[in-house]
Amino acid sequence: WDFVLPAGERLPPHEHMYDYRFTVIEGSRLAATSAETGEELFQFDAPTGATMAFVRKEDLMYDVTGAIPAFDSTHGVKNVGNTTYREIIFETKPCETGIGDGRSAQRYDSERVRRVQLYEFQEEKQSGAVQILLNHAKIIENRASGRAASLVGSCANAAVEKKLAKEKTHAMVIDFESVIQMRETMEDIQVVSDLSAIPSLVFDFHPNLVKIAKRSGAGSLKHVVFIKFKTESPVGDLIAGYMDLTNQIDQMKGFEWGPFANGFNTKGPGRDIEAKARGGFEYVFITTFDTPADRDAYLVHSAHEKYVEQLAPNMDDFMVMDFVAFSNE
């Protein structure tokens, strides 16, 4: 990958499943950050022209030279220097020779992944858009041989949050049993080329399941929130606060979240769309409600309002998309 990180910006938490190395094209000073709290772990210089290599052992990454302390394979990175940082990064995939930690790679390939796709249908096409998306979802589900399930719907934001959808009109959430299943399905040229409606936002993530709804499929209301936090924000504390709302607000029947994990579709015509279309957002949070009325009660709940007061000044950008779910089942 050709990776660029401007001065003062950060890459949110992500997991390295493979050994990797990178060559620095434009150097700077970097900091590794905790995936759980966002706090800085350590800093190091990455000068122009340097090549660094790391190997994964269990859940830690090790610098092959020993110059950088071992760190968790799931972490964030921040450019704490004064110049834009750029690197070319290479991952060592496991192969028949047995080189590398194949166990982590296998776990990666078998890990569940969700994709959220948002659309902007023109007004004259909106009446039939749900059926169009159900048809597309059926194509994907068939290509996945039944190992994927989709929910679609039109924007159903509360009146006070209508503008927060940012002109997005429809949504599709696809649940894949594994990364490899998603990759094989979405690389299929027909899945992409048959789409008459191209999504304007694509966001992949590994779901952290905080609360599982008894009724999470067709008929439920999905409250989808995308967030880009400010660089200095206490991300871990804010995520913990969001999760804790499930203990205070009964209407929250289900809750899951995750940082972006775009880039599974490494081939095929959808590659650029998927890599670039996450809209700059770093995290997605999905709450399941039984009804729109339950969502409305949640929005005015004192615990939610108190949390929003803490959250609002820590966001660089955010978007809200609610929809009542339809499926092909």
Side-chain angles (χ1 to χ4, degrees), residues 196-208:
S196 57
I198 300 298
S200 58
L201 185 144
V202 177
F203 195 105
D204 299 333
F205 71 104
H206 298 296
N208 294 285

Side-chain angles (χ1 to χ4, degrees), residues 13-18 74 104-116 174-180 182-183 203-210 255-264 282-286:
H14 55 283
E15 183 173 7
H16 287 277
M17 294 291 184
Y18 307 105
T74 303
S104 61
Q106 291 168 4
R107 181 163 65 86
Y108 173 76
D109 281 345
S110 63
E111 191 169 357
R112 181 172 295 276
V113 61
R114 300 211 209 290
R115 163 165 293 187
V116 183
I174 314 165
D175 178 46
F176 289 92
E177 287 187 0
S178 67
V179 169
I180 194 168
M182 179 183 190
R183 184 185 299 123
F203 195 105
D204 299 333
F205 71 104
H206 298 296
N208 294 285
L209 303 178
V210 178
F255 184 74
E256 62 186 60
W257 68 278
F260 82 94
N262 288 37
F264 297 126
E282 299 172 336
Y283 294 85
V284 65
F285 304 85
I286 302 179

Side-chain angles (χ1 to χ4, degrees), residues 117-121 192-201 273:
Q117 298 187 163
L118 300 187
Y119 300 82
E120 298 178 23
F121 280 94
V192 177
S193 63
D194 283 353
L195 287 178
S196 57
I198 300 298
S200 58
L201 185 144
I273 294 173

Side-chain angles (χ1 to χ4, degrees), residues 128-141 150-153 171-172 325-329:
V130 168
Q131 189 56 55
I132 290 173
L133 293 181
L134 283 172
N135 293 341
H136 293 330
K138 192 66 175 178
I139 294 173
I140 293 172
E141 291 161 3
S150 307
L151 296 174
V152 310
M172 178 188 295
F326 291 82
S327 73
N328 284 305
E329 295 182 356

Side-chain angles (χ1 to χ4, degrees), residues 114 151 173 209 211-224 242 246 249-256 285-292 294-295 298 322-323 325:
R114 300 211 209 290
L151 296 174
V173 178
L209 303 178
K211 187 174 183 180
I212 300 175
K214 294 181 179 179
R215 186 172 73 93
S216 61
S220 63
L221 183 136
K222 301 295 183 181
H223 178 69
V224 186
Y242 206 156
T246 62
I249 305 176
D250 293 338
Q251 289 85 352
M252 298 176 71
K253 302 303 183 183
F255 184 74
E256 62 186 60
F285 304 85
I286 302 179
T287 306
T288 299
F289 297 98
D290 283 340
T291 65
D294 285 351
R295 184 271 320 275
Y298 156 85
D322 294 358
F323 68 97

Side-chain angles (χ1 to χ4, degrees), residues 234-253:
V235 176
D237 292 339
L238 293 168
I239 292 175
Y242 206 156
M243 290 191 293
D244 188 54
L245 291 179
T246 62
N247 298 318
Q248 304 177 62
I249 305 176
D250 293 338
Q251 289 85 352
M252 298 176 71
K253 302 303 183 183

